Structure formats: C-alpha cells, structure tokens
Amino acid sequence: MNFRIRKIFGVALVAILCAGGASAQKITSKSPHSRAHEQLLANQAKNRDQIRLVEKNTFIDLIDDLEPEPDIYTEGWNSKRVNPFKESDVPDTKVIDVTGYYMPVPGKVTSNYGYRAKFGRMHKGIDLAIRSNDTIRAAFDGKVRLTNYEARGYGNYVILRHPNGLETVYGHLNKALVKPDQVVKAGQAIALGGSTGRSTGPHLHFETRYMGYAINPSAIFDFANHTTHTDTYQFSKKTYTKARNYAPARNIAKSENGNAYKTGDNDIATYTVRKGDTLTSIARSYGMSATRLRKLNNMGSSDKIRAGQVLKLK
C-alpha cells in the first residue's frame, strides 16, 4: 500500500514539475534556444498561410473559366418570370459580344420569329427541327436561371443567363438536364427536346432575349450555315425584331403573312426541290399549307415532287 501511495505521489509531482517547467519556459525564458524555437514556429505559420493562399489562388484560377461574372446574376435572378427586368433599366442600344456561341441544335428553321395573324400573337422565338429526345445544347457559356413548366405555352423550358448580357430560352422540352444556379459551358447538353406545352410536334422553341426584349434570333444566328452573322450584335429598341440575312435565299423560311417581321429582305418566288424534301416540309418552311403549295403549282393530291423540280412559291 505504501508503495502505491509513493508511486501516485511521484507521478503527481512529475506532472506538477513538468507543467511548471512548461509554463516557465513559455513566459519567462529569454534563452537563445527559446527565441530560435519561436522563430521556427512563426516561419511555419507563415509558410502555412502562403500554402493556403497558393491553394486558394489556384482554385480561383481553375474555376475562373467556368464561373461567369457574378454581377450579371443579380436583377431578377430569383424571379419565376421569363422577363424579370424593368423597362426603365434597359438601354436604348447595346453592343453584345456573340463569339463563343454553339448552335443549340443542327436542325433547320421550321417557323420564324414574328407576328402570327392566325393566332393573333407574336412568336417571340424561332422553331428548329428536332426529333423527340434530341440533345439540346447551351448557346453560350452561362448559368441556369430557371427551369419550369408552362402547360399552355413553353411546356418544359430552361432559361440561361450569359455573361454577354443575353438570356436564351429553350422550350417544349421533354426533360431538363440542368438545375437552377448550375454553371454551363457553350455546347453543354442542357435538355432533351420534345413537344410539351402548346406544341403540335417535336421542335425546339429558341429565344434570344436582352433584358426581357425578345430579339429576333435570326439577327444573331445564321441558322442555315450554323454560325453567327458577325462577332457582335447591336441591340436596339427600334430594330430588335428585325432579322439579318447573309444566308442563301433558299434557306430562309418566309413569314406566314408577309408582315413587317418577315425574315430577311429576299422575296423569293421559286424553290428548287432537293433530295429528301417533301411537299409538306417545303410548305411549312415557307409559311404556307401543302394544299396552298399544290394549288400554286397546279398539282393534284397524288402528284409527287422530284429533286430538281422548281416550285412556285407565290
């Protein structure tokens, strides 16, 4: 028993001495060894801070190309509306950089931007041909502002906001492949195309908007040649509904009623049938019914078209 007491007392005494020694070394020691030790600890702390700074800067460099400038994701970012902007904030003109684009789908235009007399409303985008579940891709780098469903309009749709100030809208989708606040790159798959909402068949409804103004997409894109007309587009409140036409005339779909929003300046009168064309596809591309096209060309309901045949369009 005495041995155990002595042992416990000895352990306690050693602990007290060690604690006292550590405290004395930290507070009162002025020896060169202590100063060297403190300097070593200070250098280690400085090195750790430098390593953290390098790691932070490296991380920022890695994400800098992916994350667009944050200041464009402010006004209306949390809005559930397609147009969250105030008219008073929209400038009269603005030069927009449209380099770094990617065509959302390779399909041709099946319906133009413009007023539709038949329905009594504006068609604020371009319809592009797709098959159900074709991949829809982001037109520019950007960030997903909204994914939503509208039964009497867009169906399933995605809205992207881009560093160049544009927003692009993708409608009638079967499925969105992205979520709100997700950063995307030009050409990245964002959805599967379909025919949801107010739609009569699979197609992509594609809009290009600047602060709520639905720009005619044909003013920016040459859909026939899968490119942009120029590296910049000058938005103007006076001309944003107008198209620009640098494409071959045969690739331009004529508007349905010859209104002021018609695509391009070419009023073409004939079309030369190409391999793969059908009477219905040609008629739809030029904003008329197949019956109207047959009548213009004195064709019966059983008559067939052939490659090289010239059809009247007016």
Side-chain angles (χ1 to χ4, degrees):
M1 178 66 70
N2 292 335
F3 173 76
R4 180 178 298 175
I5 292 172
R6 286 196 299 270
K7 182 178 180 182
I8 293 171
F9 178 77
V11 170
L13 181 61
V14 170
I16 291 170
L17 290 173
C18 289
S23 176
Q25 183 181 20
K26 181 178 181 183
I27 296 173
T28 64
S29 175
K30 302 297 183 182
S31 70
H33 173 77
S34 295
R35 286 196 296 272
H37 182 66
E38 291 173 358
Q39 186 62 43
L40 177 62
L41 293 176
N43 289 338
Q44 288 176 344
K46 182 178 180 181
N47 288 339
R48 283 196 301 271
D49 290 341
Q50 289 176 337
I51 290 170
R52 291 192 188 101
L53 181 61
V54 170
E55 289 175 343
K56 180 180 179 181
N57 288 339
T58 301
F59 178 70
I60 290 173
D61 289 341
L62 287 173
I63 67 171
D64 189 51
D65 289 338
L66 292 177
E67 184 71 26
E69 290 295 326
D71 61 323
I72 69 165
Y73 304 120
T74 52
E75 183 172 0
W77 184 254
N78 295 319
S79 173
K80 299 299 181 184
R81 300 178 60 183
V82 173
N83 177 13
F85 297 97
K86 297 177 182 178
E87 170 63 26
S88 59
D89 294 332
V90 184
D92 290 335
T93 62
K94 172 71 175 179
V95 176
I96 299 171
D97 183 352
V98 293
T99 57
Y101 70 91
Y102 196 97
M103 301 303 291
V105 294
K108 66 180 182 178
V109 175
T110 58
S111 183
N112 285 310
Y113 173 103
Y115 182 75
R116 290 178 164 178
K118 186 192 308 184
F119 302 106
R121 66 176 187 272
M122 273 289 293
H123 185 227
K124 295 183 178 180
I126 286 245
D127 290 345
L128 299 168
I130 62 165
R131 295 169 298 181
S132 185
N133 289 321
D134 274 356
T135 301
I136 311 301
R137 301 186 182 276
F140 301 98
D141 292 351
K143 196 173 187 180
V144 182
R145 178 167 72 82
L146 183 63
T147 62
N148 209 347
Y149 177 76
E150 186 180 290
R152 300 183 65 183
Y154 293 102
N156 292 314
Y157 66 95
V158 170
I159 299 179
L160 304 182
R161 188 174 290 185
H162 307 287
N164 60 9
L166 290 176
E167 286 195 331
T168 49
V169 183
Y170 309 78
H172 304 308
L173 311 171
N174 271 349
K175 181 181 180 181
L177 302 178
V178 290
K179 297 180 179 180
D181 294 321
Q182 181 176 337
V183 175
V184 297
K185 301 295 286 182
Q188 180 176 332
I190 58 170
L192 301 179
S195 184
T196 58
R198 181 180 283 180
S199 172
T200 58
H203 69 279
L204 173 66
H205 174 82
F206 176 63
E207 294 183 11
T208 49
R209 289 176 175 257
Y210 176 67
M211 298 192 74
Y213 276 72
I215 298 167
N216 188 333
S218 289
I220 298 173
F221 292 97
D222 175 352
F223 291 98
N225 295 300
H226 299 168
T227 186
T228 54
H229 295 300
T230 50
D231 288 342
T232 60
Y233 166 72
Q234 179 152 342
F235 166 81
S236 167
K237 287 182 178 179
K238 295 180 179 180
T239 62
Y240 73 95
T241 62
K242 307 300 181 183
R244 289 190 292 174
N245 176 20
Y246 302 113
R250 68 175 181 274
N251 292 326
I252 302 298
K254 188 177 180 182
S255 62
E256 295 180 10
N257 59 348
N259 65 76
Y261 300 102
K262 70 180 181 179
T263 301
D265 299 322
N266 293 307
D267 188 12
I268 53 182
T270 62
Y271 176 83
T272 302
V273 178
R274 292 178 289 177
K275 186 177 180 180
D277 283 339
T278 66
L279 199 71
T280 299
S281 68
I282 297 170
R284 185 169 56 183
S285 293
Y286 289 91
M288 67 179 75
S289 67
T291 300
R292 170 65 177 163
L293 188 57
R294 288 183 186 278
K295 185 175 180 180
L296 285 171
N297 290 276
N298 297 316
M299 297 174 62
S301 58
S302 60
D303 290 343
K304 305 294 183 183
I305 59 174
R306 64 185 185 281
Q309 182 178 352
V310 177
L311 298 176
K312 296 179 181 179
L313 298 175
K314 52 185 288 189

